[in-house]
Amino acid sequence: MVENRPWLTFFTHAVLVIGVIIVVFPVYVALIASTHGPFAMGSGRMPLLPGDQLWNNVVEVLTETRRGAAPFWLMAWNSLWMAVIITAGKIVISILSAFAIVYFRFPGRVLAFWIIFITLMLPVEVRIIPTFAVVANLGLLNSYLGLTIPLIASATATFLFRQFFMTVPDELMEAARVDGAGPMKFFRDILLPLSRTNIAALCVILFIFGWMQYLWPMLVTTDPNYYTLMMGVKRMAAVQDADPQWNIIMAAVVMAMLPPVLIVIFMQRLFVKGLVETEK
Amino acid sequence: MASIDIKGVRKVYPGNVKAIHALDLSIEDGEMVVLVGPSGCGKSTLLRMIAGLETITDGTISIGSDVVNRKEPAERDIAMVFQNYALYPHMSVRQNLEYGLKNRGTPRDEIDRRVTEAARILEITPFLERKPRQLSGGQRQRVAMGRAIVRQPKAFLFDEPLSNLDAKLRGQMRIEIRRLQRNLKTTSVYVTHDQLEAMTLADRLVVMNGGRIEQVGKPIDLYDRPASLFVAGFIGSPPMNLIPVEQLRALAGAAMPVLPEGTDILGIRPDGIMVGGSGGIPLSGVVELIEPVGGESHLYVRVEGIDQVLILVLQGRAEVAETERVDFVLPVAALHGFNRESGKRVE
């Protein structure tokens, strides 16, 4: 579509710029706040230019443990574990279940698919109390398993892989059968390499999903050894009888943002490819 | 190398859809058999049952001396060439060729030897390290053939391998497949809906219709003596003219030959009709359309007295023009008699 309407162009760009400002400004404030000393924010005037205390703040976040929280590195470790286990678990389970649903004829196949599909309509928040009860009864509170397992069952990823597998021509599977590849060999040698970009895209999405979990870890952990970063940052702000140390909190926030940002930067090429391209 | 024996094979899909009705067919060692028929006639189903990709409802299929009904495709020692080639997109041409051999545990040096040999025969050596998507349609087709050749199987199964190619390439590949099959002398079953492909490739042609075999035989025998109306209409291009006997009798009068009992449709090949000439059933009609094909011309003539268009094939250029009247005869020797009720040939 070729159009030349200067006002329309101006207007659309203005809307976009405003949108970007709304999204980016809070992040910018967090960045700025993490570079100032303890008194800059307490004074009531929020500085909008970078200060020179970034390094001190970072060192303090890394070395000192806030009251009610756990050491930063421990929380980061917990968050990382949680994100990695959720990502890996979700991908393994959903790719295998999609493989079963698409390539095998068994009684209840359609039913199985629909049950998985229906769980899409019930996010963790909706079923949080029964889920908590199950996890508690299994004795999984305050453990990595309790943190991750309820979040692993994933309809979205199963659905995505199913859709992808359905676009793979049947003849490929038949050719593999003629070539002497059994089901799992076909899965490993042909389906898995073909799903590479899809898996990469899912990795990015799921890692961020896992890293950003807040409500669930808060429910199932009472032992500071299992606190994750997202809860920890919140706990840093909830101090009693004192002003929150916003410079330190914001430094922690900025550091907590780093892993997802790095993941997106390094996986960007594969990520975009996985979402837009189907390899033929 | 092996013969393939199909005995009383039936295929019934869920919902009692009968795809193949009790079918018998013997394919000899080294023979190239072409299954031809309109879509939905069961030719692909039959091929896939031989391959082991479809279950067999009833009857037995043997390759060599083994009954293979319950064997996996890989255990049947056959190789298949698919219509869309079904090359593994993430593997190089070499890996595509090697995959089946590796799965069988063929020794490394043997794999290399066979791949080199197949690549040489098919002239794909320069592309061995490329991915399938970097190849043209014809090259992909060769790779698909190569994947079958390296296996040195008991039989090749071709499932409409040329229908994704353009007309010129299809002609070339057809000749190559024929030459290759002659040289390797591997038993082959080839499925197509293209009757020209079927005629030119087959040692023996199997015409199928509605899950049954209509006729089996050498292509030229099927052309000369079609056993049924269906075969008569399916084999040959342009198709055989079919004229109801009673109409012809009214028109021909005394020139009408004596026909065997039960003949109520007469067929004649477009190239059997003679313009001018005598010694048969004389007819005349108006030329509605002329298709000059080059070496020959196809005339569509509306016959006077019966409301039917006959197709005539004349060698060289047509000496009549459209809308002109033309006299021609149907030589008695060129006529094929059929019974309308049974659809069968009457001798």
Side-chain angles (χ1 to χ4, degrees):
Chain A
M1 196 168 65
V2 181
E3 277 189 273
N4 188 16
R5 283 189 252 166
W7 277 105
L8 188 72
T9 310
F10 175 79
F11 181 71
T12 49
H13 279 76
V15 169
L16 288 174
V17 167
I18 291 168
V20 167
I21 288 173
I22 290 173
V23 173
V24 168
F25 188 67
V27 180
Y28 177 75
V29 169
L31 261 173
I32 295 301
S34 69
T35 61
H36 284 279
F39 307 112
M41 249 134 320
S43 67
R45 283 174 63 89
M46 179 67 215
L48 285 177
L49 290 174
D52 54 1
Q53 298 295 310
L54 177 63
W55 183 244
N56 292 343
N57 292 341
V58 168
V59 170
E60 191 172 343
V61 168
L62 288 177
T63 52
E64 284 183 36
T65 305
R66 304 281 112 193
R67 205 148 39 95
F72 184 87
W73 61 266
L74 181 65
M75 295 192 297
W77 178 251
N78 288 341
S79 280
L80 185 71
W81 257 118
M82 187 173 168
V84 166
I85 293 176
I86 288 176
T87 306
K90 270 194 182 222
I91 286 177
V92 169
I93 287 191
S94 54
I95 201 169
L96 285 172
S97 53
F99 177 57
I101 285 171
V102 175
Y103 285 96
F104 292 87
R105 305 276 166 276
F106 53 89
R109 187 174 67 102
V110 178
L111 184 73
F113 172 69
W114 280 105
I115 287 174
I116 293 172
F117 192 63
I118 279 171
T119 60
L120 262 184
M121 299 160 198
L122 299 171
V124 173
E125 287 75 9
V126 177
R127 52 188 162 88
I128 200 143
I129 291 176
T131 310
F132 180 81
V134 170
V135 169
N137 288 337
L138 289 173
L140 293 176
L141 298 181
N142 287 319
S143 71
Y144 288 124
L145 287 180
L147 273 173
T148 52
I149 283 182
L151 298 172
I152 281 179
S154 168
T156 341
T158 308
F159 192 67
L160 203 108
F161 280 122
R162 173 184 177 264
Q163 294 310 96
F164 172 68
F165 289 165
M166 305 246 281
T167 66
V168 174
D170 281 346
E171 283 86 352
L172 228 48
M173 183 260 286
E174 292 171 349
R177 279 180 74 188
V178 172
D179 268 345
M184 288 324 283
K185 198 163 172 51
F186 166 68
F187 178 73
R188 200 176 60 232
D189 288 353
I190 290 153
L191 225 40
L192 216 50
L194 289 180
S195 321
R196 213 187 62 231
T197 49
N198 288 60
I199 292 174
L202 267 178
C203 270
V204 174
I205 294 170
L206 294 180
F207 183 85
I208 295 173
F209 166 84
W211 185 262
M212 294 300 178
Q213 284 304 313
Y214 172 65
L215 181 60
W216 183 250
M218 205 160 72
L219 279 177
V220 293
T221 58
T222 47
D223 178 349
N225 281 330
Y226 290 100
Y227 283 180
T228 64
L229 264 187
M230 296 305 130
M231 325 164 42
V233 168
K234 171 68 177 53
R235 279 175 172 274
M236 286 163 126
V239 288
Q240 281 162 4
D241 306 328
D243 283 337
Q245 283 184 289
W246 285 114
N247 56 329
I248 305 297
I249 296 168
M250 287 304 154
V253 165
V254 168
M255 287 159 72
M257 279 193 307
L258 274 181
V261 168
L262 290 179
I263 289 267
V264 169
I265 289 174
F266 285 113
M267 303 277 276
Q268 193 176 28
R269 204 177 54 85
L270 275 175
F271 176 66
V272 174
K273 215 173 156 191
L275 290 186
V276 301
E277 202 178 87
T278 47
E279 211 171 344
K280 277 190 284 182
Chain B
M1 320 250 154
S3 57
I4 300 175
D5 253 314
I6 300 167
K7 286 209 188 87
V9 160
R10 298 195 312 130
K11 176 72 191 180
V12 182
Y13 283 110
N16 210 20
V17 182
K18 296 187 176 73
I20 308 261
H21 306 269
L23 185 147
D24 295 294
L25 180 66
S26 290
I27 299 165
E28 281 161 36
D29 188 5
E31 191 180 28
M32 178 123 183
V33 163
V34 176
L35 308 178
V36 67
S39 42
C41 71
K43 56 190 191 298
S44 281
T45 309
L46 183 60
L47 187 80
R48 292 165 55 82
M49 286 202 293
I50 300 173
L53 298 171
E54 297 275 359
T55 55
I56 300 163
T57 311
D58 223 346
T60 58
I61 293 181
S62 342
I63 300 176
S65 49
D66 313 335
V67 174
V68 294
N69 283 33
R70 307 205 133 271
K71 285 193 176 174
E72 271 291 296
E75 299 167 333
R76 298 185 181 200
D77 200 10
I78 43 96
M80 189 148 170
V81 179
F82 294 88
Q83 180 177 356
N84 64 3
Y85 321 132
L87 301 176
Y88 310 123
H90 58 292
M91 295 185 191
S92 68
V93 170
R94 182 188 293 280
Q95 288 167 324
N96 263 285
L97 298 183
E98 284 175 351
Y99 189 65
L101 295 175
K102 275 189 185 161
N103 288 344
R104 276 182 171 63
T106 314
R108 187 71 242 178
D109 51 337
E110 174 71 9
I111 293 181
D112 287 339
R113 202 183 55 73
R114 289 201 202 174
V115 168
T116 314
E117 172 69 7
R120 189 188 59 77
I121 295 175
L122 292 165
E123 296 164 22
I124 51 174
T125 312
F127 319 122
L128 275 179
E129 306 311 326
R130 290 201 203 161
K131 294 278 172 67
R133 67 167 172 276
Q134 297 164 300
L135 303 179
S136 69
Q139 290 163 346
R140 286 182 205 183
Q141 179 58 53
R142 282 163 198 273
V143 177
M145 303 258 303
R147 197 166 60 176
I149 293 174
V150 290
R151 291 262 316 279
Q152 304 184 347
K154 284 184 187 157
F156 291 141
L157 307 177
F158 297 92
D159 190 4
E160 308 212 12
L162 303 183
S163 30
N164 280 8
L165 299 176
D166 63 54
K168 186 162 177 246
L169 210 52
R170 200 180 308 159
Q172 278 176 19
M173 288 305 293
R174 195 173 70 211
I175 295 166
E176 282 192 36
I177 289 180
R178 189 67 183 128
R179 189 182 295 145
L180 200 67
Q181 200 271 339
R182 285 249 168 88
N183 291 340
L184 298 172
K185 296 193 179 58
T186 307
T187 314
S188 302
V189 184
Y190 188 107
V191 162
T192 179
H193 60 259
D194 179 341
Q195 60 99 19
L196 180 66
E197 228 170 272
M199 294 284 285
T200 49
L201 279 172
D203 288 325
R204 273 197 308 153
L205 195 54
V206 177
V207 180
M208 292 185 64
N209 183 30
R212 290 192 173 84
I213 291 181
E214 288 275 339
Q215 192 175 2
V216 184
K218 289 205 175 97
I220 208 69
D221 292 345
L222 264 64
Y223 183 83
D224 288 343
R225 295 179 58 80
S228 67
L229 278 170
F230 179 82
V231 179
F234 197 80
I235 300 292
S237 171
M240 184 183 273
N241 298 296
L242 299 168
I243 316 161
V245 166
E246 53 269 33
Q247 292 188 1
L248 205 57
R249 181 166 281 136
L251 216 59
M256 194 70 189
V258 182
L259 297 169
E261 190 71 23
T263 310
D264 40 22
I265 290 180
L266 280 178
I268 185 161
R269 294 278 175 205
D271 57 358
I273 302 178
M274 302 212 306
V275 174
S278 58
I281 305 170
L283 293 174
S284 58
V286 176
V287 179
E288 285 196 339
L289 183 73
I290 299 176
E291 288 179 335
V293 197
E296 53 185 43
S297 305
H298 301 169
L299 270 60
Y300 293 76
V301 179
R302 188 168 290 278
V303 181
E304 285 170 0
I306 51 175
D307 192 33
Q308 189 180 351
V309 177
L310 297 186
I311 308 171
L312 281 67
V313 172
L314 301 185
Q315 291 307 311
R317 308 292 145 86
E319 281 157 17
V320 288
E322 288 176 8
T323 73
E324 277 183 8
R325 214 168 152 272
V326 63
D327 293 319
F328 53 92
V329 293
L330 314 180
V332 175
L335 290 173
H336 305 261
F338 297 99
N339 183 273
R340 187 183 286 123
E341 196 92 339
S342 66
K344 297 277 181 256
R345 183 184 188 88
V346 182
E347 296 296 338

